[in-house]
Amino acid sequence: MQKKHLEKSIFKKIIDGDLPSEKVFENDQLIAIKDIAPVAPVHLLIIPKKCIESIQVMQPEDLPLLQEVVSVAQTLAKEHGVANGYRLLTNSGTDAGQTVFHLHFHLIGGKILGPMG
Ligand code: AMP
């Protein structure tokens, strides 16, 4: 097992209150915080509290979390004025640019977003 799997991730530390964050939402399943290095005027991270490394290793019993993520994203998009257009994405694995190995979804908007890829 690699070291990264044994350590508390940055997001687990934030969930546990060991690290500060700009929290914009919390319920029993998820938190949402402002990204520390925003790539757009609105850049939020929706983070399931359960420690799951990435979407690629989600188990069937965890899939209802995705429904909750979408529901919270819709609410946050309205609250942050980007319901007209935003991107909701997750990076899975280092090839995709994942840097924090605790499942999270970026909600990005507030400017005209360029093409993906
Ligand atoms: P990813 O590259 O998809 O794993 O996304 C990780 C994201 O977490 C990046 O956009 C970082 O800017 C963001 N990030 C890292 N540390 C923190 C932190 N302490 N608070 C808020 N966002 C963070």
Side-chain angles (χ1 to χ4, degrees), residues 10-11 33-37 45 91 97-100 104 106:
I10 290 170
F11 294 160
I33 63 173
K34 291 191 179 177
D35 197 292
I36 204 168
L45 300 171
N91 294 319
Q98 186 177 6
T99 56
V100 179
H104 56 281
H106 299 254

Side-chain angles (χ1 to χ4, degrees), residues 49-102:
K49 289 184 174 177
K50 184 168 179 181
C51 291
I52 300 168
E53 186 179 306
S54 72
I55 202 167
Q56 183 60 22
V57 296
M58 281 187 91
Q59 298 299 305
E61 64 268 23
D62 294 325
L63 294 180
L65 270 175
L66 297 180
Q67 199 171 339
E68 187 66 11
V69 167
V70 171
S71 174
V72 169
Q74 290 171 340
T75 301
L76 289 173
K78 281 185 210 147
E79 286 177 3
H80 291 262
V82 297
N84 58 314
Y86 62 92
R87 215 166 255 164
L88 181 65
L89 63 90
T90 186
N91 294 319
S92 182
T94 47
D95 283 4
Q98 186 177 6
T99 56
V100 179
F101 292 88
H102 180 121

Side-chain angles (χ1 to χ4, degrees), residues 15 25-31 47-50 65 68:
I15 290 162
F25 177 84
E26 179 164 19
N27 69 10
D28 58 329
Q29 297 181 78
L30 307 172
I31 62 165
I47 309 171
K49 289 184 174 177
K50 184 168 179 181
L65 270 175
E68 187 66 11

